[in-house]
Amino acid sequence: MSTLADHAFAKMNGIGNEIVVLDLRDSKHVVTPAEARAVASHVPFDQLMVLQPPRLAGTEAFIRIYNNDGSEAGACGNGMRCVVRRVFENTGQATATFETRAGLLNCWQGPSSDLYTVDMGVPKFGWQDIPLAEEFRDTRYIELQIGPIDAPILHSPSVVSMGNPHAIFWVEDVNAYDLGRFGPLLENHPIFPERANITLAHVVDRDHITIRTWERGAGLTKACGSAACATAVAAARLKRVNRTVQVTLPGGELTIEWRERDDHVLMTGTASFEYEGVFEPSLFASLA
């Protein structure tokens, strides 16, 4: 029987990004893709955030992040805020450091008690770092389009890595496109050897961007924190916005700062608790 049978979990969300937080710091068990899919069939989520025992001194946990298709993600900003709220409420802390596949993330509460900030680290722009399947010297725009060559529907995205690959298409209206149709095609395009998160972005003004995202391994989502970070950075690289912007997603608002002194990206937003539960053993019966 799976170690997850009868194990407690917390259902949360980060501005509509459906998150399950699972604390396995007292166990050496590593969640398998099949177990993650089994959890998703019982408690629908965009990301499953699993706290494993810390591997580095000074960190609270090593975080493994699973999409609802069982694949692993390197980063999830909205999920990290949920983890941060959960840990802070249980310990009384106001600051903490976590390790993920994308690196170390420093987190803190504020500027008010219902807001949490995650330092998402330094974005990467090199084509090999994103990664792309072929060289592009300037990743502010790359040659990629959907639709006829002479009249493409979407074209020339900016690409950025925030610990996971992002492609941002600049549009006038983020709701004017069938992202549920184009998202899977673009996510799995051969130019992205590790697939990619696909975002439609509209620059409202120098302090405000609106986005919609098709999330790699999860599909259409109300919110994607790393996509908000990637979009803010990409827009700033194009000199279209300031280095601190408000990003509007279908699920709510995030404040993104691309800090000038060290190029770290700071994401600030809320994290909501929904309920606690226990995984039924029957979920994992077929995995034995």
Side-chain angles (χ1 to χ4, degrees):
M1 180 62 67
S2 169
T3 301
L4 302 189
D6 294 318
H7 204 289
F9 67 89
K11 175 64 172 61
M12 305 183 73
N13 79 73
I15 63 169
N17 206 174
E18 299 297 333
I19 303 295
V20 171
V21 178
L22 176 61
D23 193 341
L24 293 180
R25 284 179 290 178
D26 60 352
S27 168
K28 294 183 179 180
H29 180 73
V30 175
V31 173
T32 67
E35 287 175 324
R37 290 190 295 270
V39 170
S41 71
H42 175 62
V43 187
F45 64 77
D46 294 314
Q47 274 77 40
L48 170 65
M49 310 292 294
V50 182
L51 284 72
Q52 307 273 191
R55 306 189 305 183
L56 297 175
T59 61
E60 296 295 320
F62 176 72
I63 308 292
R64 299 186 81 104
I65 306 168
Y66 297 83
N67 299 311
N68 58 30
D69 67 354
S71 62
E72 280 199 62
C76 177
N78 289 323
M80 281 307 306
R81 290 200 318 280
C82 292
V83 168
V84 170
R85 172 175 173 171
R86 189 74 174 161
V87 170
F88 285 4
E89 288 183 340
N90 288 337
T91 65
Q93 296 171 240
T95 62
T97 300
F98 298 88
E99 183 189 5
T100 71
R101 284 174 52 191
L104 295 180
L105 301 181
N106 295 312
C107 310
W108 56 92
Q109 190 166 21
S112 61
S113 60
D114 64 335
L115 293 176
Y116 302 88
T117 298
V118 178
D119 182 342
M120 298 287 287
V122 178
K124 296 178 181 179
F125 308 118
W127 69 274
Q128 291 172 306
D129 297 321
I130 290 168
L132 302 177
E134 60 184 83
E135 180 178 359
F136 286 89
R137 293 187 178 181
D138 187 351
T139 53
R140 290 176 295 180
Y141 292 110
I142 67 167
E143 295 175 16
L144 176 64
Q145 67 181 42
I146 288 286
I149 293 177
D150 56 347
I153 298 169
L154 294 169
H155 65 91
S156 307
S158 301
V159 287
V160 181
S161 172
M162 286 302 312
N164 49 5
H166 290 269
I168 302 102
F169 291 85
W170 307 103
V171 299
E172 288 301 313
D173 181 358
V174 299
N175 295 306
Y177 301 84
D178 188 355
L179 189 55
R181 175 187 172 196
F182 298 129
L185 299 174
L186 290 163
E187 173 194 354
N188 294 285
H189 192 281
I191 195 65
F192 303 117
E194 296 180 7
R195 300 185 294 166
N197 298 276
I198 307 301
T199 293
L200 304 179
H202 169 61
V203 176
V204 180
D205 56 44
R206 293 197 62 81
D207 301 307
H208 186 197
I209 306 172
T210 299
I211 71 172
R212 288 176 65 217
T213 298
W214 174 274
E215 195 162 5
R216 178 183 66 166
L220 282 174
T221 181
K222 292 182 180 179
C224 178
S226 61
C229 295
T231 302
V233 167
R237 288 185 82 203
L238 294 169
K239 310 298 184 184
R240 300 184 66 184
V241 300
N242 298 317
R243 290 180 74 107
T244 298
V245 295
Q246 198 75 8
V247 180
T248 299
L249 307 92
E253 304 281 329
L254 292 172
T255 300
I256 308 298
E257 177 189 357
W258 188 17
R259 194 164 58 192
E260 193 162 8
R261 64 179 171 84
D262 59 6
D263 280 341
H264 281 230
V265 181
L266 309 182
M267 176 197 60
T268 300
T270 59
S272 301
F273 172 81
E274 294 183 2
Y275 62 88
E276 291 182 340
V278 173
F279 295 131
E280 299 176 4
S282 61
L283 284 175
F284 313 103
S286 63
L287 305 183

